[in-house]
């Protein structure tokens, strides 16, 4: 890679990072490419030379965030971890991008089809790993026999309810830092066949 290509790649990564910050702070639908260009201290044309539309830039940011959230879960899935560890990994992944993730789930219905599909693929990857661990727990008689989609949707519904109501539950704090351990304990007690729900 020559110096020009390296510079172009650095600019692209910088734009993704600044876009992530702007989307997190101002919203996915209300942030404009001009806002991103100004915050990145580049021309408006520079944004479009890397990303032909705002939608493409947003899709790129969603993919980056989603892959990082799913990565830790994927690593754990190959190590025969328990459900509690998998839930902790899921929350840890989201916590790193909490403000953006809240915007993403709150504004999901307003996104274009490609961004919606990207979000669905991320949730599918997370679901796959959680369900894989749940099946192992059920086979070992550590987790109740619960329909797997119901198990995943109950977990996701729990955390999404709190995250989407951040102003009610933790207006000036991280919702996950404040409630994450409690969610995991509650969910483990709900699904576990063992006293204390530590599977």
């Amino acid at each position: 890679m020559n110096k020009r290509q390296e510079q172009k790649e650095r600019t692209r990564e910088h734009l993704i990072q600044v876009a992530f910050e702007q989307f997190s702070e101002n919203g996915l639908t209300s942030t404009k490419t001009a806002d991103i260009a100004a915050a990145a201290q580049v021309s408006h044309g520079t944004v479009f030379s890397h990303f032909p539309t705002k939608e493409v830039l947003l899709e790129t940011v969603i993919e980056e965030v989603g892959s990082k959230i799913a990565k830790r879960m994927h690593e754990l899935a190959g190590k025969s971890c328990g459900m509690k560890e998998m839930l902790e990994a899921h929350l840890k992944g989201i916590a790193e991008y909490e403000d953006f993730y809240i915007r993403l789930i709150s504004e999901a219905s307003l996104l274009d089809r490609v961004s919606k599909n990207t979000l669905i693929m991320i949730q599918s990857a997370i679901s796959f790993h959680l369900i894989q661990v749940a099946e192992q727990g059920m086979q070992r008689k550590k987790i109740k026999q619960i329909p797997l989609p119901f198990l995943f949707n109950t977990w996701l519904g729990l955390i999404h309810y709190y995250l989407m109501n951040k102003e009610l539950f933790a207006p000036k704090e991280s919702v996950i830092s404040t409630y994450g351990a409690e969610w995991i304990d509650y969910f483990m007690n709900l699904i576990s066949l063992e006293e204390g729900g530590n599977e």
Side-chain angles (χ1 to χ4, degrees):
M1 186 182 291
N2 63 37
K3 287 185 179 180
R4 189 166 179 225
Q5 289 170 320
E6 286 176 7
Q7 180 58 45
K8 189 173 181 181
E9 186 58 29
R10 279 197 299 272
T11 301
R12 184 179 186 280
E13 291 302 316
H14 177 60
L15 287 170
I16 291 170
Q17 180 58 40
V18 171
F20 164 75
E21 292 163 3
Q22 290 294 305
F23 288 136
S24 299
E25 187 175 336
N26 302 314
L28 309 184
T29 54
S30 57
T31 297
K32 298 176 175 56
T33 51
D35 302 329
I36 294 166
Q41 298 182 331
V42 299
S43 72
H44 201 182
T46 298
V47 176
F48 290 114
S49 71
H50 290 272
F51 304 96
T53 65
K54 174 187 157 181
E55 289 72 27
V56 171
L57 176 54
L58 177 57
E59 288 153 22
T60 303
V61 174
I62 293 170
E63 283 174 10
E64 293 251 335
V65 169
S67 66
K68 288 174 181 172
I69 292 171
K71 183 181 177 188
R72 179 64 181 145
M73 297 180 75
H74 179 71
E75 290 168 357
L76 278 175
K79 296 181 180 177
S80 298
C81 73
M83 179 59 81
K84 187 173 182 180
E85 288 174 292
M86 189 58 75
L87 298 176
E88 287 168 349
H90 185 206
L91 290 185
K92 185 176 180 185
I94 294 173
E96 292 180 46
Y97 309 98
E98 188 170 321
D99 291 336
F100 180 82
Y101 190 83
I102 290 170
R103 294 284 191 181
L104 184 57
I105 59 174
S106 298
E107 299 181 39
S109 64
L110 304 174
L111 299 177
D112 72 341
R113 182 182 52 79
V114 176
S115 290
K116 283 180 185 174
N117 287 341
T118 302
L119 176 57
I120 289 166
M121 287 190 320
I122 291 164
Q123 300 297 26
S124 294
I126 292 165
S127 168
F128 173 79
H129 294 306
L130 279 175
I131 286 172
Q132 191 177 33
V133 172
E135 285 176 328
Q136 293 166 2
M138 288 175 191
Q139 288 169 0
R140 294 195 309 264
K141 307 239 185 294
K142 306 275 188 183
I143 292 177
K144 295 173 186 172
Q145 292 293 324
I146 300 169
L148 294 169
F150 182 77
L151 183 140
F152 175 69
N153 290 331
T154 300
W155 169 248
L156 211 57
L158 173 66
I159 64 174
H160 281 191
Y161 177 77
Y162 276 80
L163 289 169
M164 289 178 72
N165 290 284
K166 175 182 172 67
E167 293 304 315
L168 178 63
F169 292 111
K172 297 185 179 174
E173 306 292 333
S174 159
V175 183
I176 293 173
S177 294
T178 306
Y179 293 100
E182 190 177 326
W183 298 338
I184 291 170
D185 287 345
Y186 169 79
F187 191 72
M188 290 306 301
N189 284 326
L190 187 69
I191 67 170
S192 181
L193 285 168
E194 295 188 333
E195 192 69 34
N198 290 320
E199 165 55 23

